[in-house]
Amino acid sequence: MSEHKPAAPALSGATPEVPPKGGSDRAPRQLAEFWNQRYEAPEYAYGTEPNDFLVAQAESLPPGSRILCLADGEGRNSVWLARQGHQVSAVDIAERGRDKALKLAGEAGVAIDAQVADVTRLDPGSACWDAIVSIFLHLPPGPRRALHARCAQALRPGGVFIYEAYASGQLGRGTGGPREAALLPELEELLEDWPGCRIEHRFNGERLIREGQLHQGAGVVNQIVARRNP
């Protein structure tokens, strides 16, 4: 008998219209304008190849996993996961990013469920994802902790949250990432973000990143793999 998994939800908060500023520290509408402009060119700002930390971690995912990709941008990670045979949903605040992700999926001959959403308002559901992926999503501390806590509850028992983003040591390097210190946490700030999960992998340090034109060179990153307790 095959294992029954809770159905992935219709993502609450995914809507073509970006909501006005609410509890977030940064206005969603302004962020949408920024990212739509960044993704306007036909080229892919961060390339079309997946993040290599994600690739390494995805080797352990069961076949056909249900995966949610947060702030997926132009789709390089979600499309690669779909090519591995997974069932992938992706959200991003930029409509232009969503459109390019769907285009990339079509060219690869795979299907993804790509929606426009403000991740700080996203309801990812409860116990319904085998994995949730967050690659270079940088949020202020309050919205970040709230999103990660919701995602912890959205993982099925044994599901994993895969996280990589620039860390505080990246500030001023010029090889990628935001310029605001509040968006670049220390590793220790992250470790309590996923209640009910155990941290299986943690890393803070420098590594070489080559992703499109905008992530190029040595960068200081945080990496976390958090697994929901049975």
Side-chain angles (χ1 to χ4, degrees):
M1 180 180 295
S2 62
E3 177 187 4
H4 174 72
K5 298 179 181 179
L11 293 169
S12 173
T15 169
E17 293 298 325
V18 178
K21 185 175 182 180
S24 176
D25 294 358
R26 305 181 76 187
R29 197 173 300 278
Q30 293 175 349
L31 283 173
E33 291 172 356
F34 173 87
W35 288 108
N36 276 314
Q37 182 178 13
R38 173 153 293 184
Y39 298 147
E40 182 59 34
E43 297 79 18
Y44 283 70
Y46 300 97
T48 58
E49 295 300 314
N51 171 267
D52 51 7
F53 174 66
L54 170 62
V55 171
Q57 297 303 317
E59 292 181 358
S60 64
L61 294 176
S65 290
R66 291 195 179 105
I67 303 176
L68 172 63
C69 294
L70 302 172
D72 189 54
E74 299 163 300
R76 62 193 179 95
N77 293 317
S78 59
V79 170
W80 180 83
L81 287 164
R83 287 174 55 200
Q84 311 314 303
H86 300 300
Q87 304 172 57
V88 186
S89 295
V91 295
D92 195 84
I93 201 167
E95 187 172 358
R96 177 62 175 159
R98 185 273 314 272
D99 293 346
K100 290 176 77 174
L102 291 172
K103 179 176 182 291
L104 188 64
E107 292 172 349
V110 297
I112 60 171
D113 174 23
Q115 301 184 39
V116 176
D118 170 11
V119 295
T120 68
R121 296 168 177 259
L122 184 70
D123 178 5
S126 177
C128 54
W129 302 101
D130 297 298
I132 299 177
V133 173
S134 177
I135 301 296
F136 293 118
L137 167 59
H138 301 94
L139 294 172
R144 185 202 76 228
R145 286 191 289 265
L147 172 63
H148 288 170
R150 294 197 302 275
C151 287
Q153 295 303 307
L155 291 170
R156 70 172 181 82
V160 295
F161 193 101
I162 299 170
Y163 171 97
E164 181 174 55
Y166 286 116
S168 58
Q170 179 67 8
L171 192 64
R173 280 177 167 251
T175 55
R179 299 176 182 177
E180 299 100 320
L183 304 180
L184 298 168
E186 300 283 353
L187 179 65
E188 291 73 17
E189 297 176 49
L190 297 168
L191 297 180
E192 303 300 323
D193 275 13
W194 295 274
C197 298
R198 66 183 183 275
I199 304 299
E200 292 191 337
H201 169 83
R202 67 186 75 180
F203 171 79
N204 169 267
E206 182 178 289
R207 77 177 189 90
L208 184 63
I209 302 170
R210 299 197 182 280
E211 299 178 338
Q213 297 180 354
L214 298 179
H215 285 171
Q216 284 290 331
V220 180
V221 301
N222 291 319
Q223 297 173 346
I224 295 281
V225 176
R227 188 175 299 274
R228 186 170 178 182
N229 296 327

